[in-house]
Amino acid sequence: MLAAALIAANPLIEVRVGLMVWTLVCFAITFYVLKRFAFGPVQKIIDERRQRIRQALEEADKARAEARRLLEEHRSLMQQARGDAEQILAEARRIADAQRERMRDELEADRQRRLEETTKQIEAETRRALEQIRAEVAELALVATGKVTGKVLTDKDHRRLIEDAVSELDFSVLEGDRRN
């Protein structure tokens, strides 16, 4: 009951028409002033900020999409570069193998050519040596014959003696050694 008595004694709780009207008029004036000078600019600032945030989010999404696209492009370029590098390495290996084979063939051909030249030189030197030996044998045969017979021989006799002496010599042994 005491609480009811205190509430009834408060003049602000009493319903008075004049006080209600003045309260409504003050509220309307305050609301109009706030709406006119405070709510509009504040709402405008809030809307501008909301728009900037929305634009920043859209730009961030675009930048993220662009970054993903660039990353995928980078990955594809790296894959392509790896493929190109592997192709270049394979081509370089193929060229190196071809050059190695060509050099081996050239060296073999050069070795074969030198071997043939050396063989020809040996054969020529052997023929010359055999001719020289034959000439010396013939000369010795003539000298020996002249000393044994004690007479001077004619050119015809010389030739016949030389041919006999040379035919008796076995030069095939020398030529056989050369071929082995």
Side-chain angles (χ1 to χ4, degrees):
M1 281 241 216
L2 183 58
L6 282 178
I7 293 176
N10 192 350
L12 291 177
I13 297 182
E14 290 179 22
V15 176
R16 292 190 188 161
V17 176
L19 183 59
M20 268 198 320
V21 169
W22 278 112
T23 303
L24 286 174
V25 167
C26 285
F27 178 75
I29 290 171
T30 305
F31 185 73
Y32 174 76
V33 168
L34 285 174
K35 186 176 179 184
R36 175 91 176 163
F37 297 108
F39 292 153
V42 168
Q43 186 63 40
K44 184 179 176 185
I45 290 171
I46 291 172
D47 289 342
E48 287 174 359
R49 184 162 185 231
R50 184 177 294 139
Q51 185 64 26
R52 282 194 312 266
I53 291 171
R54 189 174 292 123
Q55 286 176 348
L57 288 173
E58 288 173 0
E59 288 174 5
D61 288 341
K62 287 179 184 177
R64 188 177 304 120
E66 179 70 15
R68 284 185 187 138
R69 184 188 67 78
L70 288 174
L71 181 62
E72 288 300 318
E73 185 177 316
H74 175 72
R75 285 180 181 159
S76 69
L77 286 174
M78 288 299 291
Q79 190 69 14
Q80 183 180 1
R82 282 188 193 109
D84 290 347
E86 288 174 7
Q87 243 179 355
I88 289 170
L89 283 173
E91 181 68 17
R93 285 185 189 117
R94 186 189 63 75
I95 289 171
D97 290 343
Q99 286 181 345
R100 191 176 311 119
E101 187 65 30
R102 183 179 53 85
M103 289 297 291
R104 189 177 310 138
D105 291 345
E106 286 177 4
L107 286 173
E108 181 61 27
D110 187 48
R111 186 187 68 80
Q112 194 66 27
R113 180 185 54 80
R114 287 185 181 185
L115 185 63
E116 289 172 4
E117 286 176 4
T118 304
T119 303
K120 287 179 184 176
Q121 286 176 354
I122 289 171
E123 287 175 357
E125 288 297 320
T126 303
R127 277 193 303 273
R128 258 184 292 206
L130 286 175
E131 289 299 321
Q132 206 173 21
I133 290 171
R134 283 184 183 145
E136 286 180 24
V137 167
E139 187 72 31
L140 287 174
L142 286 176
V143 169
T145 306
K147 285 185 179 182
V148 168
T149 58
K151 65 178 190 175
V152 178
L153 301 175
T154 63
D155 281 339
K156 192 175 177 183
D157 291 334
H158 281 296
R159 283 195 187 139
R160 185 178 51 77
L161 286 173
I162 291 172
E163 288 173 8
D164 289 343
V166 170
S167 65
E168 289 176 8
L169 292 176
D170 187 15
F171 288 111
S172 63
V173 173
L174 294 175
E175 290 178 1
D177 286 343
R178 176 180 55 99
R179 291 185 186 164
N180 288 332

